[in-house]
Amino acid sequence: MEDETVLTIRLFAAICRGELEEVHVLTNRGADIRRRFEPQWLPTVLDLNTAAAVEAGAPDNLFPVEGLEPVHLACLCADLEVTQYLHARGVSLHAAAAGGQRPLHFAACVGAEDVAVWLISQTVGTDEVNVADAAGNTPLHLAVAAHSIDVVRLLATHAARIDARVVQCGSQPMHFACQLGHLDTVLVLHEEFGAALDVAMHNGLRPIHQACLCGHTLLTSYLYGTGARVRLAELTHADRATLLRFMHMHDLLTFLNPQERDAIGI
């Protein structure tokens, strides 16, 4: 009888390579399709995939992460066929990785729209689109971070909460978009789905603060034009000093109101 661990390691390697037939063969031979990836397996997987990539002329930079099950890796690789195959063999689409992520989180974080569409179709009647991982991120947070407009629209259309907050810091998807400077995502969230533009995180920072801190001039201008204001008085002394330093660095002090500019002598 073949060693289950060896077969399972080879299964992860095959998923990285997108080899559905090999996944099928290994599953039938006894690979554990529900076992989480263990860190000590990584060198073997890399060796297997590097050798295969050299032979096939394919990329060898895909590899699994500790705590993922095969279905998570398939979604992370944007492989709809392998994802569907694993589900057909009995794997749950609600299975959580070590970090609390479910298959839809992984599809969202790589912008795998076809995988996300299928996962949503298979989990109708549940609130899968709003499940948070251990860090508090919903699939929508991750799609915004990935700058995947199509997946953002898909999730929002299927009742993803636009105002979902990361518990620890209070970040909404809008905060992610503004920190990254993705004006197109901001427009989708706000103009198509009604996301608020001026909501504060737990520390008082608002989307306009994040845009200023990261030097996103065009986005800052858009937010200012919708009525968002810096409101220095609401921030702690430390956050106010940091914000002003970066606004000066990025030539954004013009977005302060006259009283605020007078108070700092400009």
Side-chain angles (χ1 to χ4, degrees):
M1 183 175 178
E2 295 180 273
D3 183 89
E4 180 189 283
T5 297
V6 172
L7 290 169
T8 303
I9 293 172
R10 292 177 60 189
L11 174 69
F12 278 102
I15 293 172
C16 287
R17 299 194 302 271
E19 295 181 355
L20 177 59
E21 183 58 34
E22 181 71 2
V23 169
H24 174 66
V25 169
L26 291 166
T27 301
N28 284 342
R29 286 166 60 181
D32 188 344
I33 57 175
R34 294 178 181 82
R35 188 168 175 181
R36 288 179 175 175
F37 188 79
E38 299 180 19
Q40 66 269 24
W41 298 349
L42 185 56
T44 303
V45 170
L46 291 177
D47 286 345
L48 287 168
N49 284 359
T50 300
V54 168
E55 181 178 345
D60 63 352
N61 59 347
L62 286 176
F63 54 87
V65 179
E66 178 182 357
L68 270 63
E69 295 181 17
V71 69
H72 302 133
L73 181 59
C75 292
L76 192 60
C77 293
D79 195 323
L80 178 57
E81 287 188 329
V82 172
T83 302
Q84 292 173 326
Y85 173 80
L86 292 169
H87 180 55
R89 296 295 296 255
V91 171
S92 172
L93 300 179
H94 305 289
Q101 308 97 328
R102 297 189 183 184
L104 188 56
H105 287 93
F106 290 106
C109 79
V110 294
E113 184 182 8
D114 59 340
V115 178
V117 167
W118 183 78
L119 289 170
I120 290 170
S121 75
Q122 298 299 304
T123 53
V124 172
T126 72
D127 199 30
E128 196 70 12
V129 294
N130 289 311
V131 171
D133 63 18
N137 297 305
T138 66
L140 183 58
H141 284 100
L142 299 177
V144 169
H147 198 196
S148 178
I149 298 294
D150 290 337
V151 177
V152 168
R153 280 198 178 99
L154 172 70
L155 292 167
T157 300
H158 286 84
R161 288 185 53 200
I162 299 297
D163 61 350
R165 288 183 180 270
V166 175
V167 175
Q168 185 175 6
C169 63
S171 291
Q172 296 184 0
M174 181 63 71
H175 295 103
F176 279 39
C178 289
Q179 182 177 2
L180 294 166
H182 295 160
L183 177 57
D184 51 356
T185 308
V186 170
L187 293 175
V188 169
L189 290 171
H190 175 61
E191 298 188 2
E192 296 184 25
F193 297 101
L197 289 170
D198 201 30
V199 63
M201 299 192 303
H202 295 335
N203 62 3
L205 293 180
R206 300 173 184 272
I208 195 169
H209 298 139
Q210 293 176 300
C212 289
L213 284 167
C214 297
H216 303 309
T217 304
L218 186 61
L219 177 53
T220 301
S221 180
Y222 170 77
L223 294 170
Y224 190 86
T226 66
R229 295 295 180 265
V230 174
R231 290 183 283 193
L232 289 175
E234 295 184 3
L235 302 178
T236 66
H237 177 76
D239 285 340
R240 185 162 60 245
T242 299
L243 180 63
L244 287 173
R245 184 168 69 253
F246 280 93
M247 290 183 74
H248 176 71
M249 180 189 306
H250 299 305
D251 197 23
L252 294 173
L253 292 173
T254 53
F255 291 104
L256 297 174
N257 66 38
Q259 294 77 17
E260 289 169 331
R261 291 199 295 271
D262 288 343
I264 62 173
I266 61 170

